[in-house]
Each structure stands twice: as C-alpha cells, then as structure tokens.
Amino acid sequence: MVAPKPFLDYIDSNVPKFIDRLAEAVAIPSISGDASRREDVKKMAQWLEAQLNKVGVKTAAIPLGKQHIEGQVLDLPPAIVGRIGEDPKKKTILIYGHFDVQPADKSDGWNTEPFKMQFDKEKGIMYGRGTTDDKGPIMGWLNVLEAHHALGVELPVNLRFCFEGMEESGSEGLDDFIVSEAKKGAQGWFGGVDCVCISDNYWLNTRTPALTYGLRGLVYFNLAVSGPGADLHSGAFGGAVYEPMTALIALLGQLVTQDGRILIPGVYDGINAASDEELEIYKNLDYSVDDLEAAAGGKIAVSDDKSTVLMARMRNPSLSIHGIEGAFSGAGAKTVIPAKVGGKFSIRLVPPQRADDIRVKVEKYLKEEFAKLKTKCKLDVEYLHGGIPWVADHKHWNYEAAKIATEVR
Amino acid sequence: MVAPKPFLDYIDSNVPKFIDRLAEAVAIPSISGDASRREDVKKMAQWLEAQLNKVGVKTAAIPLGKQHIEGQVLDLPPAIVGRIGEDPKKKTILIYGHFDVQPADKSDGWNTEPFKMQFDKEKGIMYGRGTTDDKGPIMGWLNVLEAHHALGVELPVNLRFCFEGMEESGSEGLDDFIVSEAKKGAQGWFGGVDCVCISDNYWLNTRTPALTYGLRGLVYFNLAVSGPGADLHSGAFGGAVYEPMTALIALLGQLVTQDGRILIPGVYDGINAASDEELEIYKNLDYSVDDLEAAAGGKIAVSDDKSTVLMARMRNPSLSIHGIEGAFSGAGAKTVIPAKVGGKFSIRLVPPQRADDIRVKVEKYLKEEFAKLKTKCKLDVEYLHGGIPWVADHKHWNYEAAKIATEVR
C-alpha cells in the first residue's frame, strides 16, 4: 500500500521540526547502565509520554520495580505503554522501542559531543548518541502519528506501544511486566495484538533495509580480581606482590582467539550448522565484506567470504572484551598497581544457547583457569545481565507485510 | 648532633599550623601527567616559592622548556631552586624534592577526597594525595627553615634546594637544567654542593626509617592497538571483525608471569646475583613479609622469604600493567567493541639496565608477538618516558651523617 499524498506532503514539509525533536530527545542523556543518569532516563520517559499524548495516544507509565546497581537501590525507569485505535475490523500492531542509550563520552573518540546532535545536511547524516539506537526509530512513529493527527486521517491499523528504558541494560523488569500483562488477556495493554514490530533494528548495509527475524542473546560478566587493600605504587611494590591486573589480563586472554573462536568448553553445544536453504539466503543477500568494513571503518573483517562474515554477525555466538574498571584509564602515564580491577566481557548467544547454562559453563571455566594461575589474588565472577536469543519464521504474514511496506515503489 | 631545645619547642608548638600548611599544598591538584592540570602544577610551584621566600630563602623559578602531551604543546612546570647560607666553613647540602603528584580520584577506591587532606588524630595519620609523596617531605624542610628563621638561629649548614614539578612524569626537562647548571661550576645554583639529600623516599616499614642509596629506574610504554574507525556495538559486529581489545589483552598477557618473571628476552642481561655481603644486609634489616603485606593491605607477597621479597622490591627489575585507555572503564555494563585501546605498562629497572637498551628489546619483542597473533588490527608501541636506575656507596660520609641524624637518642 502506497502512503497517501497528503501524508507524504506533511512529512516532507515538517522535516526541520522532526529533526529538532530528535535532537531534543538525544540531548537527554538517558544512560540506563549508569546509576548517576537514572533521573535522565526517567526524564526521557516523561518527555516521550507527553509527545505521545499530544498526538492522541492514550498512555501509562508503568513502574517496573527496583534495581540493585553500584551498591544502590534505584527505581527502574518506567515502561511507557500506549494505545490508539479500537476498530475490531483492523489489525492491531504492537510497536516496541527503547528510549535509553549506551554511555558515550567525547573522549571515547567521538568527533562531536555525543548528547548534542549534529546534522550534516550535505551528507544527510545525523550524529548523536541514540540517533539510530533507538530514539530515531521512536521519533519515526511520533512523526507518523503527528501527520495523521494533524491531517485528521484515520490510522489504517490499531496501534499499541511498548517503550522501555532499560534495553541497554538487559531490559531489567520488562519480562515480568509483559508476563503479567499477558495474563490479563483482552483487558491488558497488549490484548488483541496481531503482531509485533520491533522498532530497534539494523539495515543490512547503507543501501538495503533489512527485516530482522532473529536476534542474538547476551550474557555479560565482570571478572573482579582483587589483592591489595588500596592502589599501590609500582616503584615501592612492583615485583614483591601478586598484582590483580596481571591475573586479570591472563584470565581475559583465555576467553577467545583472535579470529573469534570462544574457548569456554561446551559453549557451542547444540548449535547446528546452517542448512543449505539458510546458506542460500546468505549467498543472495545484498551484502559484501566491503560493506562490513565500511560500516566498521577499518579493514578488519575476520574473513574474505561474505557468507562466513554474515554468519559470524547473525547466527554464531561471539565474545567481546569491553574494558576494565578500576585500572588506570586516563591519558598519560600513572605508575599504579590497581588494587581491584573488573574485566568486562560478554557473549552473544544464539538458539539453542541458554543464558543460565552458559553462565554456569563460564563460571566453572574461569574459576578453573584462575586456579591454574596460582596467584594470591582473589577472583569473583559477577554475572551482570543476560538476554535470551530468538529466531522467528521469516515466512509469517507479518514479515511478508513488512516486506511490502519497506519496498520502494 | 641533637637538635637544640628551642628548635624542638618551636616545632612542637606549631604542629597544627604545619599540618594546615600541608593541607593547603595537598589541596592544589598538581598532577603532572594530566595536561588539564598543568596550571595547577604551576600554581603549586608559585605557592612553594612564596613559602621559601618567607623564611629567607633566595629562589628562582627556572623555565624547563616545552612538552608535547596529549596532542598539545605545553610549558613544563618550572623547577624552583633556592639557596640559604653562604658560609664557606660549613658543608653545603642540596635538598631535592618534587611538588607534583600522581592522578587520584575518589572513584579509584579512596575513602576520602584525595585532594582534601584528612587528619586522623587518633591514629596520627594524614590522608591525601601527595601527603607523603612528596609534599609532606618538602613541608618538613619549610618547617625546619621557619623554626630557624623565627628563632633567629643560624642553620648549621648551607642549604641549596631543587624542587621539580615533573617527577611523576619522568622528570622531563630536569636533566638538561642540571647539566647546564653543572657547567656553570661555582657560579651555578648547585656550586659548592658537598652532598645531596633526596627528600622523596620510603621508610622500610612503619617502625624503621631507611636511608635510600639506590632507586630503580623506569621505562613506561603504551601499546596502542587500533582497528575499527569508531567504537562498534558488539551485537552488530561481534564475531565478524578482529577486535583491538582481544589483541591487546593477548599481547599484555605475554609480558610477565604471575609471580613477576619478565618474559621479554634479554631484559635480565648483565644483572648480577647479590653478593654474600649484600645478602647479609637483607637478612639483618628490620623487615618482615608481614610488614610488606600490612603496607599492601593484603596477603599477596610473592614469597614467604624476607630476603626474596626485599630483593624483589629493591634490587630486581619488575613489570606492572597499569591499565587500559580507550576501553570501557566505567561501572555497569556497556556492550562496546572499543576502536582504539592503549595498554599501559612499565618496567622498573636496576643497574646495569639502561632505558634505551630495554626500550629496543621491548619494542622488538612486542612487534614479534603481535605478528604471531595474525590479527588485522594495528599496533603502535609508544614509549612514554624513562628514568635511569642508580645505586650509591652506602658507606660514604653523607650516608653516615644521615644515619646519625636519623637515629632516635
């Protein structure tokens, strides 16, 4: 179905306003993983709810309980749910999105301030934390709703919304809410929903949009290694004591090979090789190793083979080491022996991997490897959060409908 | 020589004032390794010069040239030199100290704000960055000078001072100044000096002061590993690309064993085993492994043998890994693949090791080890700074004099 001309005209003539609204959203540093930013996540929730109300969406801010983070007990940010359209003859679509973001700091290597959105008109590119993940996609729905509202045009479907503020931190609290809401059946916020649109996904490259019918899961760990009671000076103690950093580095070095093979025993159990039909899909996708390297900004693909790279990205587990907490992380030179260091790493999961099973295997392996080091430092394997991997049938009618809606006519 | 009673009385009755002065010095965050704190280092230099002038010391602030740091060109902080006493019949003693400090942040694990000195009267302990290294010892000289000045008592020796603001960053600029000053002979700031007192040293434990007659040197490196053009999301790229952190961790893991054996070939060349006479000294020192562990705040000594631990601390080289720049270093969980990471480590050197020779060996070894990883990431071995190790004859008259001066009578 081609969108009607008045709708398209409204969108085209309101581009500057829509960009300003996105910039306004980006300016709220709603970092869910940082306890000190929790109020900003809540502020972002309030802002979004007000925007939805303005265009006729009935909403509620759903409290999701408490969170233990960095030694504090904090309120989780509320989920913002909404509904518009009650016509039983129309399909009912549930839209999912999230209004929290990952941490970002200019010193991480950004060219611009992450929370001050910049629009490069010439290239048609916007820069700012959350611009694509995931504030931009949410704004897309606001724009659509605003156009219908302003023009007095009825929506072709009933819409339901579920926007959360903890996606970047394992969607803590959301599962419980969805389960309890599901029990309410037709009376619940998600009653009568025919299909779900997850508005938090990727294009395949910069040319071709993609319909995502699966997503890798996650287990995230902190390897806390401690030894001295406080940071020590390497001039006075270097050589005389076991150092937590030396132990942590050795342990992190036992996780994965350079080309991405995970070394934890049993981690690949149950994962099937791709079928011929699946391999055919990879072969025919509009994608190349150059696309990957252009997106990554470096010639760093693990393979020259397109299908291998696609499978590495989409259907195989992976392990990334993210950083170390508690060690020296500034510029320049500091001759410190850090007292307590936390190595952060995570594993992307694919079906049939289960977070609880992988967690047990990771903990067992790391404790064994740590024992082999024969250091006097102590290890605490902390499980920070996890997410379930999923894959759906891409031949279902909702994917077929989405495919038609996405095509350029 | 026992100090005269009026002098001791003056010191005793001015303790609160002296502590306040130290707190004032600690409050200036004169971090030489952080470009953004350079003005504070200069402020500290001015503060110190004014204090010296007040007690009759003739001073000068010596410009030491420029420094390239973090992409900027900055003035090095000046050295503050001074002189008091011109009696040719007296010995002339040169006092060295430094007024810069290491970085410190409460989040590193401090119980108190590092730049707000706290005095625990009950324990008689002061907490604050620079309290012992090295603002406290400098304040000690100010206290001595003030007492003589206030009481109108002549100093028993001529004093010369050399206080620098780059000690924690390889004493950049100081060597050139000292060499040029030495060429001036009697006319220079250090003309006629009979011996030097380095006022920047340790006690052996909390019971027994020590006279330091040697100091380990230092070579400090940053292993810069890069790959992607910007930070990547591990959900979208994990498994498909070579990751700089994986390479850096592997490389840092090739530096040193858990118990401190450095793995860089040739690094121990030329270092002699301790003679029987030297071993006898370690055996008789008032020191125990418990002392080390009490100072470190943990049961982490590399050996149960006192002499082994003392030699590890004093006369053997050591290698410490300090931290990683550019990776995720905050609390919580961030699923980032960092684009460029810098692994910081340093080696403590002992005679006859030379910084230039060790540097060559380190660079050669790390480049070879990196090549073995077969990653597509890039390595840049950056040499940040170095310091020469030294050892002197502990039977020289200046050590004998210092020994008498340090004894409790």
Side-chain angles (χ1 to χ4, degrees):
Chain A
M1 194 179 86
V2 181
K5 189 166 185 308
F7 171 82
L8 294 175
D9 287 347
Y10 185 91
I11 296 292
D12 287 344
S13 60
N14 280 282
V15 165
K17 178 184 164 183
F18 294 159
I19 291 173
D20 286 350
R21 178 157 56 198
L22 176 55
E24 213 181 300
V26 168
I28 304 171
S30 50
I31 305 164
S32 57
D34 179 349
S36 73
R37 291 296 187 188
R38 183 54 48 90
E39 288 306 311
D40 289 305
V41 188
K42 290 187 194 171
K43 190 179 156 190
M44 183 65 209
Q46 286 160 7
W47 183 92
L48 178 58
E49 191 175 11
Q51 295 286 336
L52 288 164
N53 293 156
K54 262 198 260 182
V55 291
V57 179
K58 188 182 150 194
T59 61
I62 308 290
L64 297 181
K66 302 282 182 188
Q67 183 196 20
H68 294 258
I69 179 173
E70 298 164 32
Q72 305 169 54
V73 181
L74 293 177
D75 284 333
L76 286 165
I80 301 298
V81 294
R83 62 190 300 153
I84 184 168
E86 307 290 343
D87 187 341
K89 294 187 295 294
K90 292 179 183 170
K91 292 267 192 230
T92 300
I93 316 293
L94 170 63
I95 310 295
Y96 166 87
H98 67 90
F99 51 83
D100 62 319
V101 294
Q102 287 275 340
D105 198 272
K106 195 149 189 289
S107 67
D108 297 343
W110 285 68
N111 290 326
T112 57
E113 284 298 334
F115 294 101
K116 196 177 165 191
M117 198 183 87
Q118 304 282 330
F119 179 32
D120 185 331
K121 282 186 190 173
E122 212 158 300
K123 293 186 185 162
I125 296 177
M126 295 163 213
Y127 301 92
R129 174 56 94 215
T131 306
T132 63
D133 182 12
D134 185 38
K135 291 175 178 177
I138 293 180
M139 296 305 113
W141 289 105
L142 284 181
N143 301 346
V144 165
L145 288 164
E146 182 187 309
H148 285 81
H149 188 73
L151 299 170
V153 176
E154 217 183 308
L155 288 159
V157 291
N158 305 316
L159 289 177
R160 303 292 177 263
F161 299 97
C162 177
F163 297 128
E164 65 157 326
M166 284 296 286
E167 195 273 346
E168 302 290 4
S169 299
S171 292
E172 203 170 330
L174 191 68
D175 282 7
D176 291 347
F177 167 62
I178 290 172
V179 167
S180 80
E181 215 46 38
K183 285 182 188 155
K184 295 182 190 168
Q187 308 310 314
W189 278 96
F190 309 140
V193 163
D194 294 299
C195 79
V196 176
C197 173
I198 295 176
S199 214
D200 177 27
N201 280 301
Y202 294 91
W203 284 41
L204 201 50
N205 45 39
T206 54
R207 296 179 305 276
T208 308
L211 294 172
T212 300
Y213 55 94
L215 199 68
R216 295 194 288 182
L218 183 76
V219 281
Y220 201 115
F221 295 92
N222 179 41
L223 301 181
V225 182
S226 56
D231 284 1
L232 303 178
H233 191 289
S234 70
F237 289 92
V241 295
Y242 286 94
E243 301 188 12
M245 268 298 271
T246 311
L248 176 61
I249 293 293
L251 201 58
L252 290 173
Q254 299 303 315
L255 293 173
V256 64
T257 63
Q258 296 302 313
D259 57 357
R261 181 92 194 152
I262 302 170
L263 299 171
I264 297 152
V267 84
Y268 291 101
D269 287 358
I271 300 171
N272 293 326
S275 66
D276 287 347
E277 190 190 344
E278 188 183 335
L279 286 172
E280 201 62 24
I281 294 177
Y282 298 124
K283 242 172 86 179
N284 295 326
L285 281 177
D286 172 26
Y287 191 81
S288 73
V289 173
D290 284 349
D291 285 339
L292 175 83
E293 294 189 329
K299 294 267 170 206
I300 52 171
V302 287
S303 168
D304 295 334
D305 176 58
K306 165 186 161 183
S307 295
T308 304
V309 165
L310 277 167
M311 287 193 285
R313 183 176 179 173
M314 293 179 171
R315 65 103 64 213
N316 294 335
S318 66
L319 189 151
S320 295
I321 303 169
H322 307 296
I324 296 176
E325 182 181 354
F328 176 50
S329 61
K334 183 179 178 181
T335 53
V336 66
I337 297 174
K340 184 176 178 179
V341 287
K344 311 282 178 87
F345 76 95
S346 67
I347 305 175
R348 294 282 160 182
L349 306 179
V350 300
Q353 288 178 309
R354 293 195 333 269
D356 55 352
D357 174 62
I358 298 297
R359 177 182 174 177
V360 169
K361 285 170 175 162
V362 165
E363 288 177 354
K364 178 173 185 289
Y365 173 68
L366 288 176
K367 282 172 188 171
E368 282 168 7
E369 290 301 308
F370 193 77
K372 288 181 198 164
L373 298 179
K374 298 192 193 304
T375 172
K376 289 185 184 170
C377 297
K378 300 271 173 277
L379 169 69
D380 190 11
V381 182
E382 297 170 9
Y383 177 69
L384 297 190
H385 66 80
I388 300 165
W390 63 272
V391 64
D393 175 10
H394 61 90
K395 293 167 189 164
H396 187 276
W397 64 259
N398 64 343
Y399 288 105
E400 294 298 341
K403 202 167 153 185
I404 295 166
T406 309
E407 267 173 29
V408 178
R409 306 259 169 146
Chain B
M1 195 181 88
V2 181
K5 190 168 183 308
F7 171 82
L8 294 176
D9 287 346
Y10 185 92
I11 296 291
D12 288 341
S13 59
N14 281 281
V15 164
K17 178 184 166 181
F18 295 160
I19 291 175
D20 286 349
R21 177 155 59 198
L22 176 54
E24 212 182 303
V26 168
I28 304 172
S30 50
I31 305 165
S32 56
D34 179 348
S36 73
R37 291 296 187 186
R38 183 56 47 91
E39 288 306 310
D40 289 306
V41 188
K42 289 186 192 169
K43 190 178 156 193
M44 184 66 209
Q46 285 160 7
W47 183 91
L48 178 59
E49 190 174 13
Q51 295 286 336
L52 288 163
N53 293 156
K54 263 198 259 182
V55 291
V57 179
K58 187 180 149 193
T59 62
I62 309 290
L64 296 182
K66 302 281 181 188
Q67 182 196 21
H68 294 259
I69 178 173
E70 298 164 31
Q72 305 170 54
V73 181
L74 293 177
D75 286 333
L76 286 166
I80 302 299
V81 294
R83 62 190 299 153
I84 183 167
E86 307 289 345
D87 186 343
K89 293 188 297 293
K90 291 179 184 170
K91 292 270 194 229
T92 298
I93 316 293
L94 170 63
I95 311 295
Y96 165 88
H98 68 89
F99 51 83
D100 63 320
V101 294
Q102 287 274 342
D105 197 89
K106 195 150 188 286
S107 67
D108 297 344
W110 285 69
N111 290 325
T112 58
E113 283 300 333
F115 294 101
K116 196 174 166 196
M117 197 183 87
Q118 304 281 329
F119 179 33
D120 184 331
K121 281 186 191 174
E122 212 159 298
K123 292 186 185 163
I125 297 177
M126 293 163 215
Y127 301 92
R129 175 56 95 213
T131 307
T132 63
D133 182 11
D134 187 39
K135 291 175 178 178
I138 293 180
M139 295 306 112
W141 290 106
L142 285 181
N143 300 346
V144 165
L145 288 163
E146 181 186 309
H148 284 82
H149 188 74
L151 299 169
V153 176
E154 217 183 307
L155 287 159
V157 291
N158 305 315
L159 288 177
R160 303 291 177 262
F161 299 97
C162 178
F163 296 127
E164 65 157 325
M166 285 295 285
E167 195 271 350
E168 302 291 4
S169 299
S171 292
E172 202 169 331
L174 190 70
D175 282 7
D176 291 347
F177 166 63
I178 290 173
V179 168
S180 81
E181 213 49 35
K183 286 181 186 153
K184 295 182 190 166
Q187 307 309 313
W189 278 96
F190 309 139
V193 163
D194 293 298
C195 78
V196 177
C197 173
I198 295 174
S199 213
D200 176 27
N201 281 301
Y202 294 91
W203 283 42
L204 199 52
N205 45 38
T206 52
R207 297 178 304 275
T208 309
L211 294 172
T212 300
Y213 56 95
L215 199 67
R216 294 194 290 183
L218 184 77
V219 282
Y220 200 116
F221 295 91
N222 179 40
L223 302 180
V225 181
S226 55
D231 285 0
L232 303 177
H233 191 288
S234 69
F237 289 93
V241 296
Y242 286 94
E243 302 188 13
M245 266 299 270
T246 311
L248 176 60
I249 293 293
L251 201 58
L252 290 173
Q254 299 303 316
L255 292 172
V256 64
T257 62
Q258 295 302 315
D259 58 354
R261 180 88 194 158
I262 302 170
L263 299 171
I264 297 153
V267 83
Y268 291 100
D269 287 357
I271 301 171
N272 292 327
S275 66
D276 288 347
E277 191 189 346
E278 188 183 335
L279 286 173
E280 200 62 24
I281 294 177
Y282 298 123
K283 241 171 84 178
N284 295 326
L285 281 178
D286 172 25
Y287 191 81
S288 72
V289 173
D290 285 347
D291 286 339
L292 175 83
E293 295 190 328
K299 293 269 169 202
I300 52 171
V302 289
S303 167
D304 295 334
D305 176 58
K306 164 187 162 182
S307 294
T308 303
V309 165
L310 277 167
M311 287 193 284
R313 182 176 180 172
M314 293 179 171
R315 66 105 63 211
N316 294 335
S318 65
L319 189 150
S320 296
I321 303 169
H322 308 297
I324 296 177
E325 183 181 353
F328 176 51
S329 61
K334 183 178 178 180
T335 53
V336 66
I337 298 174
K340 185 175 178 182
V341 287
K344 312 282 178 85
F345 76 95
S346 67
I347 305 175
R348 294 283 160 179
L349 307 179
V350 300
Q353 288 179 310
R354 292 195 334 268
D356 55 354
D357 175 61
I358 298 296
R359 177 182 174 177
V360 169
K361 286 170 175 162
V362 165
E363 287 175 356
K364 178 173 185 292
Y365 173 68
L366 288 177
K367 281 172 189 170
E368 283 168 8
E369 290 300 309
F370 193 76
K372 287 181 199 166
L373 298 180
K374 298 193 192 303
T375 173
K376 289 186 183 169
C377 297
K378 301 273 171 277
L379 170 70
D380 190 12
V381 182
E382 297 170 11
Y383 177 70
L384 296 190
H385 66 81
I388 301 166
W390 64 272
V391 63
D393 175 10
H394 62 89
K395 293 168 189 164
H396 187 276
W397 63 260
N398 63 346
Y399 288 105
E400 296 295 342
K403 201 167 153 183
I404 294 165
T406 309
E407 269 172 29
V408 179
R409 307 260 171 149

